[in-house]
Structure formats: structure tokens, C-alpha cells
Amino acid sequence: MESTLTARDRVGVQDFVLLENYTSEAAFIENLRRRFGENLIYTYIGSVLVSVNPNKDLEIYSKAHMERYRGVSFYEISPHIYAVSDNTYRAMRTERRDQCILISGESGAGKTEASKKILQYYATTCPVADRMSTLRDCLLQSNPVLEAFGNAKTLHNDNSSRFGKYMDVQFDFRGAPIGGHILNYLLEKSRVVHQNHGERNFHIFYQLLEGGEQDLLSKLGLERNAQKYQYLVKVCVCACVLMSCSSQGCCPRVSSINDKNDWRTVRKALTVIGFHEDEVEDLLNIIASVLHLGNTQFGEGKNGENQITTEPQLKYLSKMISPLSFEQAVAARDALAKAVYGRAFTWLVVKINQSLAFKDDVYNSSKGSSSVIGLLDIYGFEVFQHNSFEQFCINYCNEKLQQLFIELTLKSEQEEYEAEGITWEPVKYFDNKIICDLVEEKHKGLISILDEECLRPGEPSDISFLEKLEDTLGGHAHFVTHKLANAKTRKAVSREEFKLIHYAGEVNYSVNGFLDKNKDLLYRNLKEFDMSPLCFPLFDEALVRHQVKYLGLMENLRVRRAGFAYRRHYETFLQRYKSLCPGTWPNWQGRLADGVATLVQHLGYKPEEYKLGKTKIFIRFPKTLFSTEDSLEARRPALVLTLQTSWRGYRERAKYLRIRHAVIQSAWRGMKSRQRARRRRHAVDIIRKFIKGFIYRHYERCPENEYFLDHQRFSFLMMLFRNSPKNVLDKSWPIPPPSLTEASEHLCRLCMQNMMHAYCRRIQPEWKKQMEQKVVASQIFKDQKDSYPQSVPKLFVASRLNNEEFNLKVIQTLGNDKVKYGIEVTKYDRRGYKARPRLLLLTSSFAMLVAEAKLKQRIDYAALKSISVSSLSDGFMVLHVPSEDNKQKSDVVLQCDHLIEVVTKLATMADKKIKVNMSQDSIKFAVAQGKEGVIDFTSGPELKVAKGKKGHLLVTAPKLNP
């Protein structure tokens, strides 16, 4: 868009979105006319490309033009079919998604040429390995073959595609084409046997007769004269053989077509694609047989039966056709010709697809996934003097494409506005859904009625089908027949026709042949395609206006202009217009959105003229943009002058620097030499001082060694700085020189103290409490208890019992005392050492043993004299308590898991130095006043507890650390 803003007065606007009077159809067509007059045949409507057929060769499709559009932003340069091709290709590679280019327009608009230009662009610009060049050639050579067998001269176009084509081009992960596939549909087989006056049959018939070698024609039984073949020219046969007059195209030669040259092109293309000579011979035999079949004539036999009266080699057909009437025989002949040609065309496409198919032996598919670009070249909307089932299918397809086109345009516009946070203004447009429903609605649409009539028992006919339509669709605003029409319009519709009022205009369809042709299900795969680039014919204003209307270009433009005429990313807008504002020139350093806001405020934009989205600026009126562009044009001379001034200044300064360099070069060398001499003398002095200091290093500090000693100190301190310990566990320390031994010891101590203080400040309260308990455990059990090393890495828990495990009566008994720690233990009583399960609960002032809800024993910390444990890993401990009064029971023997944790908790909570006795063989304890019990400890493979013969308690425990 930006590339031709300054030339808009001469060539109009290259994007219709910038059209000031965008609601005027006349202004729309005038913009097309002005650009067409300057050979600018391409114009955008946003992302849609509008093309006007110039009907002459333009020098805009060279390899240099392809390179110009390669990798360039869509709006950066003027509109072109190459811009659409490149944008689609780059979207496929960057987004990793399949893409599709859809081409539509009336006959003669240039659809086939546009598809060829797209394929040529990909074949030329995409990376292709040497071994893939054959595929590229097949891709390009498929066009002349398909055109020869599928294109024909019509009233609108000398090279009109009479079939629909959808081509997939497959690309690998590098963007190189590796395969392709063609889907053909809706071949106009009726053209084989009948053409309107002024039209021709398919090109291949004329190319064969005009360009084929004489030996080939003789072998096929053909003559180099198209006038002799009924399917190619107008023929009248006298009534003596009962042959009716048939009006054909009568155009064996066309000035714009060179059939002889085209024949050579097709023969070469067949070879490149990979057809063998015998396959080509079979194909040409089929083409010749169709011509011979068209010349087959019928006459009446002796008994009144119908007979073939021509060519003895066709007499074998007489047995099949003889029971038929004359009309039936002619219809059977024509049906056979159409079927043969149709199957030949299908086989031809299959053969081309085989040559284009992706082959594993050509490319290793494991290197990456592939993507596809689809190319749809479809019939345009058709209105002829006589319209039949073929035109109905074609026009219905275009009706669906128009519906999808409008929906997708509205959807994409709305999504962009929503993404940028801009309010969407709805646009009223004609919704052709009513026409699509008329044709496709289930059970009561035109197609459903046609299918039902084909399947109906009895003898359905085209007229009965028309009557069924009148009964079902009568009263619909877009459906008219002779019976349903009023007196004013009845003359325009015959009794064998119905009229559909399409989006593009009114079309009369003859029902003759509808039922027979509907049996070809090939027509039913046309519903699911979309539409994009649009192509226009010669600049005939009436014809252009008709196409502008039926293609919905004005609605598309109104949708694009409903909100804002121009939208660009902040970076693009700021880069183009930043020179118009002192605040943004020469460079803007802040956020792009702020830079654009600064720029438009300086330019005096009114609030209703623009909106700022998340990533783009939206300008509502073209005049606002044009005014900005005019300001840029007025600013350019000053910019050029500034650049020229800067360049002259730079050039003169460079000249001066060269002169100065030449004049002062000798002085500069002298200065550098003197600097090097001073550095050398300084280095020598330093080395001398260092050597002398090393010699006097063991002497007291004196002038001879002070430099060396200072250097030693500095080096040691720098080494200490780089290699000092990083944590309290790191005991490494650099070895100091003899003169710094004492200082090093002080520094080491200070460093360690600082790390200790820093470590202590970082310790959390919970971890500090844990460490304090670990210290107590270390003081008691280190090197004393066999199980101590295994307990070191394990954290002490706050309690081994949950509050839910305490009986409510026990909690009530405690009152204000809170349980700080609890654990399950086993108590061995003093009579018989019977094991009894208990809960050991520790509060802040006493410990107690609990059995279910009953408090069995309370031990005040103040009364606890000492604790005895063994040096093994047995888990036994004896709590020594005084037994002076009868109320206090004797010493308590307990066994539990986590013995070290329990003893540490007791020692910590008692808040005093409790003596812990460590015994290797036995522990004595008071059973009652004057009585004593003994626990004997021995090592063994596993923990065992038993009563000995002497009344002692025997405990066997494994030794963990031998």
C-alpha cells in the first residue's frame, strides 16, 4: 500500500480500502479503469487480489519480477499474483499449516493463466535439488496436457477451462516441492458431441488433425480436415438417410490459436510427464475413435429396423444399437462418445498424478514433515443462451463460494478488530443463504427433489421433475417457471425451463437432460471450497459492473471500510512517518505505541480519525492518510538536504583526516616510540627492585626490601580475597609467607567468626532448635552409643503422636500443662518384667506414663536423678527416680524406638544437666526399697528380650558399627 501512495493521483489507489468514496460503484470501476490504462492489472481489497485480464502480454512475469516479490511483505510493493503466491508460501513455512489459493471469475477472466503463473513462481523460486528437477518439469508440463484435453474455445474465451481443477503441491521441511496431486471434476463432456455456434470442441481434436504427422493420421484413419467430422463442424445430411441437421461450433480454426505448435508442446509434455509411446498411441486411438463415432450414421433396414450405414469397422456396433429407434440410436452414440472421452480424461489425470506423486526413493521422508499448498481453478458464473444441468452445477458452486467468501471476510475482519481491542461496526450485506437453501435444503431443496425424482419408481421425466419443482418451490422469491410467472415475465421463461434469481443475476435453465445428467455423482463434490483471488475480463464497463456485483466486491470493500481504511503495525507506521515529528526523529527509543501516539498528536489527528490497538494503528479516513502522505512528500526535500549536508560534512572530514594523518604521521611514530621507551625503563626499575627485595627478604624492613615485602603482602591478600573459605565447613586457608604468619592466623580467626555470625543470623528458629537438640544429643551419645551415627542425618520431630491420639480424660487431667512431646513405649514392670504398652508424654515440667485414659505414673523433672542406657542399639532406658516415700514408685524400665531422640527431649525439657549413664554389659536399678533389678546386654544378630534364670532381664541387640 505504501509503495504507490504518492502516485495515487495518476494510477488511483492500489488497495480499494483507500478509496475515498468507497460506497460508490462508479468510483470503484473508475479506479479499475485508471489502473488498467496504466497496465496495472492487479489491485487489492485488503488480502483479496482483484485481477483484470489485459488480453495481451505484459512484461511483469519475468524471473527478475519473481525475485522482486520473493520474501517481501505483502503490502511492501505493488499488488501482484506473485505477492499472493509468496505470502501463501511463507505462511505455510512459518505457521506449519497447509494453505490454499482459490481462483474464481467469469469465463475469460484469466483464471487458468493465474494458476499457471502461481505454479511457475513456485517452480522457479522454491529450493529444488537436482534430483527433484524432474518433478518440477512434470508440474509445469501438466498444464499444457490438461489444457489440450480439458480446455476449449467458447464465446467468451479462446482457452476456456471446461473442467474444474484442484491441485495440491506438497513441500518438504525445507520448502522444496516433493509431490503433487490433481483432482478433476465437472468435465463438460456434452461439449464432445455439441457446441454452441462460434465455439469449438476440446483443443486436442484440432491439435491432432492440424499438427499430427501424416503417418500417424493414416494409422488412425483420420484426414487433415476438421470439416469432415460431425463433432467438430456444422453438418447437414440429407433426409434420405434419416439424419437430422445438427448445428455445431463451425470454428475449426481460430486466429489466436496455433494448433500445430500446441500439438508439438503437448507431445513434448506427454514425454516429460512420463507417458510411454504405447500409452500415447492408445490415448490417440481413443481420440480418433470419438471422431469416427461422431461420423457414424444410421439408416432404415429391410424390415424397418435401425442400422449403422457407415464404416465397416463399426458394424460390430449394429447388434447393440439396431433394436433402438433412430433418436435412441443417436443418443446412444453420443452417450458412448461422451463416456469414452470422459474416461480417457480421467485416466489422463490419474497418469499425471502418478508422475507427480511423492516417492520415498527420491526423498527421505524421515527428514521432516511435509506441508501442502492447494490451488483451486474453478468455473466462473455462466449465463449462456441455453443453460442446462452443467451451468446449474457451476452457478450453484459459485453461489456457495460467494456465501463463504462474505462470511470469511466478515469473520477475519471482526477477529482482527477484537484482537486489537477496536470496536466493530456491523455492515449490512446481502446474505445469499436463501438461494443456497433453495438449492440444497434437505427434503425440499432443488437437489433433493431432483434426487427423489431420479429414484422414483415408474417413468420419471424432466417435465415431471419440473412439475415437482413447481409444487414444492412455488411461491419462493428466487424461483420462477412459465406456470408460476406473471403475465409480464411469462414470455421470458419457456414451458421447459425454470428461472433461478442468483446473487449474480437471473438464469433460465432448461430441464431437458437434468435427470440423466444427475446420475453422474461427480457433480456433488463442489460444496466445500472457499474463494480468494478474483479475475476480471476485458475492460467492458457493463461486464465489469456485472462482475463487481456478483463477486460481492463492493460488500467486501464496505466490510473492510466499516471500521478503518488503513491499519498497520506500529513499527511500520513509525518507520515511514517518524520524520514528520521532532519527538520521533531520527529515532524513537521508547515503546512503539507511545511513539505512534506522539507522532499522531504532533500531526493533529482528531480522536475520531484514528484508534490505537494493541499492536496496530487504525486510521478511519483515507483523507487523513493522504494528508499525512502529502506532509511526508513536502518533508522529503528537507530530509534530502539534511542527508546531503551530512554526506558532504562526512566526506570533507574524511579528507581532512587523511591529510592530518599524512602530516603528523612521523610525530605520531616518535611519540609512540618515546612511550615504549618509558615503559621499558619503568619495567627495568621494577625488576631490579623485585630482585633486590628477594635477596633481602629475611631482613627487617628496609629500603632494599620494602617493595618486595609490599608486593608479597598485596599478592597474599589478593590470593586470600580470591580463595577465602566460602562456608563454615571449609577449613582450607592459603599458606602465608613467613612475614605474614601471625597476621594470617588473625585473619583466619576473624574470617571464621564472621562466617559463623553470618550463618547464625541466617538460621531459622525451627532449624536453630533442631541444631540445639542435635548438639545435646552429640554431647550425650557421640562415640558412646552404637546407633548414634545412624541418628545424625535424621531430624528430630516435634512429637511422634498426634493430638487425636490423646484421650480426652488425659487432656483434662493435664489442665493448663500442654504436651510438648509424645511417643509410644513399652514398660517392663518390676515383678516378672512383663511388657506393658504405654504412652510417654513430656510436658514443660514433668513426664508421665499413660495407659489409655488412665495416668499410670508421673515423674517430675526435678526428681529425675539420672538416665541409664546401654551402648548397644537396643532402645532400652532406665529412669532413676528416688523411692524415699511410698507414694513415688521405683525406677522405670522403658523400651522404645528413637531412643536418642527421646533422651535428648528429656534432657532439653528438664532444663538441667541430666546425667546419662552408658553401660556396656548391664544396668542395675531399684525395684523397691532395698531391692535391686538387673538388665544384662549382649550382642546378637537381632533384638531379643527375655527373663533369665537369675531373675535378670536379658536383652540381645545387634551391633551396627563393629
Side-chain angles (χ1 to χ4, degrees), residues 660-661 663-676:
R660 188 180 71 172
H661 180 73
V663 171
I664 66 175
Q665 188 175 16
S666 59
W668 173 259
R669 285 198 296 266
M671 182 187 70
K672 297 298 289 184
S673 298
R674 288 190 293 272
Q675 288 179 347
R676 285 195 295 272

Side-chain angles (χ1 to χ4, degrees), residues 508-573:
N508 288 10
Y509 298 101
S510 173
V511 295
N512 292 331
F514 253 63
L515 265 62
D516 291 336
K517 294 175 182 178
N518 183 55
K519 295 174 183 178
D520 185 357
L521 300 180
L522 187 62
Y523 299 135
R524 297 185 180 179
N525 59 354
L526 301 176
K527 295 184 180 180
E528 299 177 359
F529 293 101
D530 194 4
M531 174 180 184
S532 180
L534 309 173
C535 304
F536 287 80
L538 285 164
F539 204 90
D540 182 332
E541 183 169 337
L543 186 60
V544 170
R545 181 174 286 106
H546 167 71
Q547 292 181 91
V548 167
K549 177 182 178 182
Y550 102 76
L551 291 172
L553 299 184
M554 295 303 298
E555 282 79 0
N556 186 12
L557 177 56
R558 285 197 292 271
V559 168
R560 289 294 305 232
R561 282 294 306 276
F564 300 87
Y566 175 93
R567 75 286 308 269
R568 281 295 178 271
H569 287 284
Y570 289 143
E571 183 177 6
T572 302
F573 184 83

Side-chain angles (χ1 to χ4, degrees), residues 102-164:
L102 309 180
I103 306 173
S104 184
E106 284 199 354
S107 180
K111 301 183 295 298
T112 301
E113 285 299 314
S115 65
K116 288 195 291 188
K117 299 303 181 189
I118 294 171
L119 288 179
Q120 289 172 358
Y121 180 83
Y122 292 146
T124 303
T125 61
C126 294
V128 179
D130 294 338
R131 57 184 178 179
M132 301 300 293
S133 59
T134 302
L135 172 65
R136 179 186 61 186
D137 295 338
C138 292
L139 201 63
L140 294 177
Q141 294 300 325
S142 65
N143 274 318
V145 174
L146 291 174
E147 288 181 16
F149 287 85
N151 288 20
K153 178 193 180 305
T154 65
L155 296 176
H156 299 299
N157 183 6
D158 289 348
N159 187 32
S160 177
S161 298
R162 306 319 299 161
F163 71 103

Side-chain angles (χ1 to χ4, degrees), residues 825-828 840 849 875-879 892-896:
V825 299
T826 301
K827 179 180 178 295
Y828 291 87
L840 175 63
L849 292 173
F876 274 82
M877 65 177 176
V878 177
L879 303 182
V892 182
V893 180
L894 301 176
Q895 190 266 332
C896 64

Side-chain angles (χ1 to χ4, degrees), residues 381-622:
F381 192 85
E382 292 186 349
V383 183
F384 297 124
Q385 184 177 0
H386 300 286
N387 303 286
S388 186
F389 186 78
E390 292 83 0
Q391 283 68 44
F392 167 75
C393 293
I394 291 169
N395 294 343
Y396 165 57
C397 176
N398 279 270
E399 198 76 55
K400 287 295 293 182
L401 291 177
Q402 178 63 29
Q403 183 186 26
L404 291 173
F405 177 69
I406 292 295
E407 289 178 354
L408 292 178
T409 301
L410 286 171
K411 182 180 179 182
S412 62
E413 282 294 292
Q414 184 169 352
E415 287 178 349
E416 181 173 14
Y417 284 133
E418 289 178 352
E420 293 291 332
I422 304 297
T423 303
W424 166 258
E425 298 181 7
V427 176
K428 293 183 179 180
Y429 65 97
F430 175 74
D431 187 356
N432 64 338
K433 184 176 184 298
I434 185 175
I435 305 173
C436 296
D437 291 343
L438 170 65
V439 177
E440 67 186 10
E441 192 172 5
K442 291 184 179 180
H443 305 303
K444 57 181 180 179
L446 195 150
I447 292 178
S448 295
I449 297 172
L450 179 59
D451 290 339
E452 291 175 5
E453 193 66 12
C454 289
L455 299 174
R456 182 173 64 84
E459 297 183 359
S461 64
D462 296 324
I463 297 301
S464 66
F465 163 62
L466 180 60
E467 292 173 351
K468 185 71 173 293
L469 289 179
E470 291 173 336
D471 294 339
T472 307
L473 303 178
H476 196 286
H478 292 265
F479 177 81
V480 180
T481 65
H482 182 86
K483 177 181 177 181
L484 299 175
N486 55 34
K488 183 178 180 180
T489 60
R490 183 166 295 170
K491 295 181 180 181
V493 184
S494 73
R495 297 182 183 275
E496 297 179 349
E497 291 181 335
F498 65 88
K499 176 187 291 187
L500 289 183
I501 305 175
H502 287 281
Y503 183 83
E506 301 178 356
V507 183
N508 288 10
Y509 298 101
S510 173
V511 295
N512 292 331
F514 253 63
L515 265 62
D516 291 336
K517 294 175 182 178
N518 183 55
K519 295 174 183 178
D520 185 357
L521 300 180
L522 187 62
Y523 299 135
R524 297 185 180 179
N525 59 354
L526 301 176
K527 295 184 180 180
E528 299 177 359
F529 293 101
D530 194 4
M531 174 180 184
S532 180
L534 309 173
C535 304
F536 287 80
L538 285 164
F539 204 90
D540 182 332
E541 183 169 337
L543 186 60
V544 170
R545 181 174 286 106
H546 167 71
Q547 292 181 91
V548 167
K549 177 182 178 182
Y550 102 76
L551 291 172
L553 299 184
M554 295 303 298
E555 282 79 0
N556 186 12
L557 177 56
R558 285 197 292 271
V559 168
R560 289 294 305 232
R561 282 294 306 276
F564 300 87
Y566 175 93
R567 75 286 308 269
R568 281 295 178 271
H569 287 284
Y570 289 143
E571 183 177 6
T572 302
F573 184 83
L574 194 60
Q575 185 66 28
R576 183 171 181 82
Y577 299 112
K578 65 181 180 179
S579 61
L580 300 180
C581 174
T584 58
W585 176 257
N587 292 301
W588 175 261
Q589 302 297 334
R591 292 175 60 249
L592 293 175
D594 296 337
V596 172
T598 302
L599 176 58
V600 298
Q601 289 175 5
H602 179 78
L603 294 175
Y605 281 17
K606 296 179 180 178
E608 65 272 13
E609 294 180 326
Y610 76 99
K611 293 290 183 182
L612 297 180
K614 297 178 181 178
T615 63
K616 296 180 182 179
I617 179 175
F618 293 77
I619 298 178
R620 188 178 299 278
F621 308 116

Side-chain angles (χ1 to χ4, degrees), residues 56-70:
K56 61 180 179 180
D57 292 332
L58 299 178
E59 300 298 325
I60 60 173
Y61 301 107
S62 64
K63 187 174 182 179
H65 278 81
M66 295 181 185
E67 292 297 330
R68 182 186 176 205
Y69 283 88
R70 187 177 180 181

Side-chain angles (χ1 to χ4, degrees), residues 671-686:
M671 182 187 70
K672 297 298 289 184
S673 298
R674 288 190 293 272
Q675 288 179 347
R676 285 195 295 272
R678 285 196 297 270
R679 285 198 296 270
R680 289 194 188 101
R681 286 195 296 269
H682 180 70
V684 169
D685 292 340
I686 295 299

